[in-house]
Amino acid sequence: MIRYQYKALALNGKKASGVIEATDEYTAVLQIKENYPILLEIRPMKQKEGILSKEIGKTAINYKELSIMCSQFSTILRSGIPIDACISFAAKQNKDKKLKKMLEQSAEDVSRGNGVADSFEKNCKNLPKTFIETIRAGEESGTLERSFETLQFYYEKSFKTKQKVKQALSYPIFVLAVAVVVLMVVMVKVVPTLTRTFHDLDGELPLITKIMIRSSKFFENNFLWIGLILLVLIIGLVSYCHMEKGKRQWSNFRLKLPVLGKIEILNTASQFANTMSALLAAGLSISRALEVTGKVLDNYIMGKEVLSMIKEVESGNPLSECMKKNKHFPDTLSEMCAIGEETGELEGTFATIGAYFDNEAQYATTKAIQRLEPTILIFMALFAGFIVLSIYLPMFTMYSLI
């Protein structure tokens, strides 16, 4: 919504001024003239946001909240309630601040005759493109409630899949975080204290102890520089990965990793199949579904490969034949797609193969983490052994001299 400042005259000639919110200037003028027929001046106000009013954190909308919202829409629309009233009701029930604000603004736009998908796209830039295009297809085909139902299952499934991955990764991440904290405490606090004690012995220190002391001094003297260099490297890497060349190289690097590359391919194949199934169920054509899917895939290179299929599909080539030309997609995906095309059940086939790749990706992730955990424990054991030997060897030397 845009805020406009205006000056106008009433029928009795009395001057009036104020501020009004509207989707555009034309709508604002109509609202003002309902009370003040003669409009003297109108201009948009600059939007100023204070620090406290800005949203902090990620701008992405939670898939769980999105799934719940779609479920509400699907249920309410079946009861025959108008779509603008449906959106207003969903806004009151929603706890997510971003979604609530978006729904309130969209309800006002829809009540003025704007399209549902256009209103959502205008008022909330963070909504996934899959959501917008599915709703637009539902509007055009008159099956809006079915589109919301399809999106409900799609985002519910996506949320559950992401939660499973987070749960699987939580233990290794926790162990690594503890290891980093322990390393910092030992190097910055413990070792300097022990160093002073060792120097008081005035004897020859073992090599392992000298290495530990020098490492500690290096971290202690260059702690800020190390942090600054790491920060600059991270910012530079993130900025580079947002460029075209960087996106391609980073995506290609992820695909070529020994174990994680396979997981990346399985996850992308699952995302492709589930997204295509949802879009085809909403009534989108194959070429339009490919366009949307290619833009929402997490892996940039595989997304580009999907977009490259559009011209071939529009030329009359089967989708399965186009998929076989792309080297990163699993053969199982293209073979199942061919079966779906032959039977005329492409939507259902994509849903089935999407569930299959979900399970495969989860199994591969779990297996990789099971292999990673012993490696982390061995690393921590070696680190602890290094610290223990560095401390105790000089003590044994001291006792032998007494």
Side-chain angles (χ1 to χ4, degrees):
M1 300 294 285
I2 305 173
R3 301 182 70 190
Y4 293 93
Q5 193 171 22
Y6 67 90
K7 293 180 182 179
L9 290 176
L11 290 173
N12 57 7
K14 187 177 179 180
K15 290 185 178 181
S17 62
V19 176
I20 191 170
E21 288 188 353
T23 55
D24 51 46
E25 187 172 328
Y26 177 76
T27 307
V29 171
L30 292 179
Q31 292 181 19
I32 294 168
K33 286 191 173 183
E34 290 178 0
N35 300 315
Y36 305 101
I38 303 174
L39 182 63
L40 301 176
E41 181 184 350
I42 183 170
R43 56 186 175 86
M45 296 179 64
K46 292 183 179 180
Q47 302 292 327
K48 294 181 179 180
E49 292 186 358
I51 295 176
L52 295 177
S53 64
K54 292 182 179 179
E55 291 179 353
I56 300 172
K58 291 185 178 181
T59 57
I61 294 176
N62 186 282
Y63 276 13
K64 183 179 180 181
E65 294 293 336
L66 205 54
S67 173
I68 293 172
M69 184 190 76
C70 292
S71 176
Q72 291 173 338
F73 278 132
S74 177
T75 304
I76 298 170
L77 284 173
R78 284 197 183 94
S79 64
I81 296 177
I83 183 61
D84 56 333
C86 175
I87 298 174
S88 297
F89 178 80
K92 294 176 183 177
Q93 299 295 319
N94 211 292
K95 296 180 181 179
D96 187 284
K97 291 182 179 179
K98 291 186 285 290
L99 277 176
K100 188 180 183 69
K101 182 179 179 182
M102 178 272 293
L103 290 172
E104 289 172 348
Q105 294 173 340
S106 298
E108 190 171 346
D109 285 358
V110 172
S111 66
R112 292 193 175 99
N114 296 317
V116 179
D118 291 337
S119 300
F120 283 158
E121 188 174 22
K122 174 185 176 183
N123 293 308
C124 189
K125 305 298 182 183
N126 305 319
L127 278 172
K129 194 170 183 64
T130 312
F131 179 91
I132 299 295
E133 294 303 325
T134 303
I135 297 304
R136 182 171 283 118
E139 277 189 287
E140 293 173 357
S141 61
T143 57
L144 198 55
E145 66 279 356
R146 185 189 172 191
S147 296
F148 279 117
E149 185 178 0
T150 301
L151 287 171
Q152 174 202 343
F153 290 113
Y154 173 74
Y155 287 117
E156 184 179 3
K157 186 177 182 180
S158 300
F159 175 76
K160 289 180 179 179
T161 302
K162 288 185 177 182
Q163 286 298 108
K164 289 177 181 178
V165 174
K166 286 181 180 179
Q167 289 174 2
L169 292 173
S170 59
Y171 175 72
I173 291 174
F174 174 76
V175 172
L176 286 174
V178 170
V180 170
V181 171
V182 170
L183 175 64
M184 293 175 64
V185 172
V186 169
M187 288 297 182
V188 177
K189 296 293 182 181
V190 178
V191 175
T193 303
L194 294 173
T195 302
R196 289 190 292 269
T197 304
F198 294 151
H199 280 302
D200 292 339
L201 296 175
D202 196 22
E204 184 66 23
L205 295 175
L207 177 62
I208 191 172
T209 306
K210 290 180 180 179
I211 293 173
M212 184 188 68
I213 292 173
R214 288 172 183 173
S215 300
S216 175
K217 284 183 177 180
F218 176 79
F219 278 103
E220 187 178 7
N221 296 332
N222 301 284
F223 181 76
L224 292 177
W225 282 109
I226 292 172
L228 183 61
I229 290 171
L230 286 174
L231 181 62
V232 171
L233 287 174
I234 292 171
I235 293 174
L237 181 62
V238 171
S239 301
Y240 180 71
C241 288
H242 278 83
M243 299 167 62
E244 177 71 20
K245 186 178 179 181
K247 286 179 182 179
R248 288 185 175 276
Q249 290 184 348
W250 175 241
S251 298
N252 191 47
F253 171 75
R254 285 158 54 187
L255 290 170
K256 289 184 177 181
L257 287 172
V259 178
L260 298 179
K262 180 182 177 182
I263 297 174
E264 178 78 5
I265 290 173
L266 291 173
N267 279 323
T268 308
S270 167
Q271 189 181 10
F272 171 83
N274 289 322
T275 305
M276 286 292 293
S277 175
L279 293 173
L280 291 174
L284 270 71
S285 64
I286 294 179
S287 59
R288 182 60 181 149
L290 285 172
E291 181 183 350
V292 176
T293 303
K295 292 178 180 179
V296 300
L297 289 183
D298 293 335
N299 189 278
Y300 186 74
I301 288 180
M302 295 182 75
K304 286 292 184 182
E305 289 178 351
V306 172
L307 293 175
S308 68
M309 301 179 197
I310 297 174
K311 288 185 178 179
E312 296 186 45
V313 170
E314 290 177 345
S315 299
N317 296 319
L319 176 59
S320 56
E321 294 298 323
C322 300
M323 293 178 65
K324 288 178 182 178
K325 297 178 182 179
N326 296 315
K327 59 181 180 179
H328 292 113
F329 281 99
D331 293 336
T332 309
L333 185 60
S334 57
E335 290 169 3
M336 289 296 294
C337 178
I339 294 172
E341 287 180 308
E342 290 175 4
T343 58
E345 295 290 337
L346 193 57
E347 172 196 329
T349 303
F350 273 131
T352 303
I353 197 65
Y356 167 77
F357 280 115
D358 281 341
N359 293 330
E360 287 295 303
Q362 184 182 350
Y363 174 75
T365 303
T366 304
K367 192 174 180 180
I369 291 171
Q370 287 175 349
R371 292 177 179 177
L372 179 63
E373 287 175 357
T375 306
I376 295 173
L377 292 175
I378 292 171
F379 170 77
M380 293 189 67
L382 291 173
F383 172 71
F386 174 79
I387 298 296
V388 170
L389 287 174
S390 301
I391 295 173
Y392 276 94
L393 281 179
M395 291 184 179
F396 292 150
T397 305
M398 179 182 67
Y399 287 134
S400 65
L401 293 173
I402 296 177

